[in-house]
Amino acid sequence: MSEVELKFELPPEAHAAFRKLAALNASPPKRAKLLALYFDTPRHDLARREMALRLRRSGRAWKQALKAGASGSGGLHSRDEWEYDRPGASIDLALFAQTPLARLPRAKSLHETLAEVFRVEVARTTWQVELAPGTRVEVALDRGLVRHGERTEPISEVEVESLEGAPLAVFDFAERLVERMALRPSAVTKAERGYRLAKGDALAPVKARPVAMRASMAPAQGARAALASALQQLQANEAGVLATRDPEFVHQMRIALRRLRSALRAFRKPTGPDLEARVRADLRWITQATGKARDLDVLATQTLPAMLSACSAADSRALERRLAARRRKARDDVRSALLSRRYARLLLVFAKWLARPTEPDAPRDASLRQFAGRMLQKRHARWMQSAQGAAEMSNAERHRVRIGAKRLRYVADGFASLYRRKRMDGYLAALSKLQDDLGRANDAVVAERLLHELCAPAPFAAFARGWLASETRASLEDLPRALKRVGRAVPWEKE
């Protein structure tokens, strides 16, 4: 069977209020202590193949379970699951003979290398709520920890799963909960927490991964793949933004947001106009919030250090203090945005769209490959025309060219698996080089504005203007040649 559920993180101090929600009042709560043991080989062969093998005790009853497939995004979790009762604390792999586990290399001897990797201990409260006649959901409130040896990580989660009736009704119910509680959609499973703990992995920024597309796909299937990939990267960097000061998490989150917005524009027709219209304002809002933080990070870590030697020590310290305060405020604003109901609702909109059943292919005159080729050709030609003479443009005009280059690159990158790797890599590299040149010029413009807002000392401000103007000229020097390289690198005309 296929398991579909929504998962949220909830602050531990909010548990008492959650239990009192009116939406749960009609259902008597059930409480249980759960112990789940997760098994794998020393090389974590199951985890590397997106599987999780679990033996769980609830009361005196034991069950063994296998989950397979990647977790979803936007709090949506949809994985294949096989579960069997057990007479005690033991696993019988023969019960999984018809599952992906049986297709593993050396599956017959797998039992010889399996060992406990980590365990999960939680106190769970569940409610079964009837939303309408024939439509029921289960709500689970978990509090506990993941344990690997002496290392532990706390768990404070809410799961909402459709049990009966219209599956998408779970989203409407979840939105009601989000309106009343500080619930944050989570893409992290307990198994992922456990493996991270077992490996001793620290939080690290997550870059974009290649989007798995096939030429035979319908455009609507390509849209699902592109949006799910961007959403996964977005959520994978949330924890780092919330818990650390590393500016790279914000940077990667902004890349994910650009990928989301680019995919929505590229696939507007296959997704239908409603999705893009529903999320447009909220995506712009979170993009602007992260943009302010990113601009200040770039100034503090890249642009300003090279210029501070021209400042007196006292002026330098004062300027750095003001900049540090602005960065803290901008980062706090991003964190508040990520913890807000508005952001949670945005993720749920995407999750609901991704959870919709795949409709039978409608008659179409284009495969995904044909759809991509026509779109890339059209967008490339339009952008190339807009970029002519960019070195002589005003800052505002050149900024629009830069944004257009980013959009074109993210769309092309999403379709990369449909083309020969070497040719697409060349096109993306040429676009990236031109984008970097335009980016340095834009960084100089932003730095001058921010230094004015930070009340930089007059002598330093005058020096900075000259230094930044020189940087702009240097960054635009190669622009005409870079533009020609992009024009010669198009992969779709060489197939």
Side-chain angles (χ1 to χ4, degrees):
M1 62 175 292
S2 180
E3 176 195 60
V4 179
E5 66 182 28
L6 293 173
K7 187 186 293 288
F8 301 88
E9 291 191 12
L10 178 71
E13 63 271 17
H15 279 228
F18 185 88
R19 295 173 187 275
K20 297 176 183 177
L21 285 174
L24 305 176
N25 283 347
S27 170
K30 296 182 179 180
R31 295 178 174 84
K33 297 278 190 180
L34 303 181
L35 170 65
L37 313 177
Y38 285 76
F39 295 85
D40 208 331
T41 67
R43 297 177 57 214
H44 296 168
D45 292 305
L46 303 187
R48 288 192 290 112
R49 291 169 174 81
E50 297 182 332
M51 286 185 270
L53 177 61
R54 182 187 73 199
L55 181 65
R56 186 165 74 184
R57 183 188 68 199
S58 178
R60 296 183 177 180
W62 289 88
K63 290 180 183 288
Q64 69 177 46
L66 175 71
K67 294 188 179 185
S71 295
S73 303
L76 170 67
H77 293 258
S78 180
R79 309 178 75 190
D80 291 326
E81 180 179 13
W82 297 265
E83 188 173 66
Y84 302 95
D85 292 330
R86 296 296 297 147
S90 63
I91 291 177
D92 182 0
L93 295 183
L95 295 173
F96 296 130
Q98 304 303 316
T99 74
L101 191 72
R103 297 193 289 272
L104 286 176
R106 299 180 295 278
K108 292 183 179 179
S109 60
L110 186 63
H111 64 282
E112 298 174 3
T113 57
L114 285 179
E116 180 185 327
V117 182
F118 59 91
R119 58 180 55 193
V120 178
E121 305 163 12
V122 298
R124 169 169 288 185
T125 305
T126 58
W127 298 262
Q128 289 195 9
V129 182
E130 187 173 36
L131 305 181
T135 299
R136 289 185 305 123
V137 299
E138 181 177 81
V139 180
L141 174 64
D142 287 346
R143 186 169 187 175
L145 52 83
V146 183
R147 183 188 300 279
H148 170 78
E150 297 299 317
R151 295 200 293 267
T152 63
E153 180 178 324
I155 292 174
S156 179
E157 296 177 343
V158 171
E159 297 176 0
V160 186
E161 183 178 0
S162 177
L163 296 179
E164 180 184 11
L168 294 186
V170 71
F171 288 93
D172 298 327
F173 181 71
E175 287 176 9
R176 288 167 53 193
L177 298 182
V178 166
E179 288 302 318
R180 291 161 178 79
M181 297 298 302
L183 292 168
R184 185 169 68 86
S186 172
V188 183
T189 66
K190 293 180 176 70
E192 287 171 325
R193 294 180 191 277
Y195 279 108
R196 189 170 63 199
L197 202 64
K199 296 174 185 178
D201 290 344
L203 282 174
V206 177
K207 296 184 177 182
R209 296 183 176 91
V211 182
M213 291 189 181
R214 300 185 307 277
S216 59
M217 281 180 169
Q221 293 173 307
R224 285 178 181 272
L227 291 173
S229 175
L231 196 60
Q232 184 178 42
Q233 184 192 8
L234 179 70
Q235 289 195 271
N237 287 287
E238 289 173 359
V241 174
L242 292 170
T244 79
R245 296 180 179 180
D246 186 344
E248 187 61 18
F249 286 104
V250 172
H251 183 208
Q252 293 303 323
M253 180 170 281
R254 281 184 57 72
I255 290 174
L257 287 168
R258 294 191 202 108
R259 293 176 66 212
L260 264 179
R261 299 176 79 180
S262 295
L264 284 168
R265 294 186 188 96
F267 290 103
R268 184 178 283 117
K269 187 174 180 180
T271 62
D274 290 347
L275 179 62
E276 199 272 340
R278 285 193 66 188
V279 300
R280 185 187 304 131
D282 290 336
L283 279 177
R284 186 183 302 116
W285 158 73
I286 192 63
T287 299
Q288 289 173 346
T290 55
K292 292 177 182 178
R294 178 60 183 165
D295 286 345
L296 290 163
D297 285 342
V298 170
L299 177 63
T301 62
Q302 299 177 27
T303 312
L304 190 59
M307 298 188 294
L308 281 180
S309 58
C311 222
S312 72
D315 288 340
S316 171
R317 285 194 295 271
L319 183 59
E320 287 180 302
R321 282 197 299 270
R322 289 194 291 272
L323 176 55
R326 287 282 295 274
R327 288 182 75 194
R328 285 194 297 272
K329 173 65 167 59
R331 181 61 65 91
D332 287 345
D333 288 345
V334 174
R335 290 179 178 131
S336 295
L338 296 184
L339 297 173
S340 70
R341 291 180 174 88
R342 185 175 184 179
Y343 184 70
R345 289 194 298 265
L346 171 64
L347 295 181
L348 285 175
V349 170
F350 280 112
K352 185 175 183 179
W353 187 85
L354 291 170
R356 287 165 41 191
T358 303
E359 297 179 1
D361 287 347
R364 62 184 189 273
D365 60 359
S367 66
L368 180 59
R369 173 64 175 269
Q370 293 168 320
F371 175 87
R374 288 203 295 259
M375 170 171 295
L376 288 172
Q377 190 171 16
K378 180 180 178 181
R379 289 181 174 228
H380 169 85
R382 188 169 59 208
W383 178 80
M384 286 289 291
Q385 184 177 6
S386 74
Q388 298 305 313
E392 290 76 39
M393 290 179 180
S394 68
N395 292 330
E397 291 170 330
R398 201 159 44 235
H399 179 62
R400 286 193 290 271
V401 171
R402 171 175 166 265
I403 295 301
K406 285 186 176 184
R407 291 174 178 173
L408 179 59
R409 180 174 148 230
Y410 289 128
V411 170
D413 189 49
F415 289 129
S417 60
L418 303 177
Y419 295 89
R420 293 184 183 179
R421 180 173 179 178
K422 185 175 180 180
R423 290 175 176 172
M424 180 55 86
D425 284 351
Y427 180 69
L428 293 173
L431 259 180
S432 181
K433 169 64 169 63
L434 185 143
Q435 182 185 317
D436 288 344
D437 290 342
L438 291 171
R440 285 194 297 274
N442 185 71
D443 289 345
V445 173
V446 172
E448 187 171 347
R449 171 178 58 81
L450 291 175
L451 288 172
H452 175 73
E453 294 175 3
L454 290 165
C455 302
F460 176 72
F463 166 79
R465 283 193 294 272
W467 192 90
L468 293 169
S470 175
E471 281 288 294
T472 300
R473 287 192 298 272
S475 66
L476 300 178
E477 202 171 77
D478 190 50
L479 207 55
R481 289 187 294 272
L483 196 57
K484 289 179 181 178
R485 284 193 291 269
V486 172
R488 291 195 299 264
V490 290
W492 51 88
E493 293 179 358
K494 299 178 182 179
E495 295 294 316

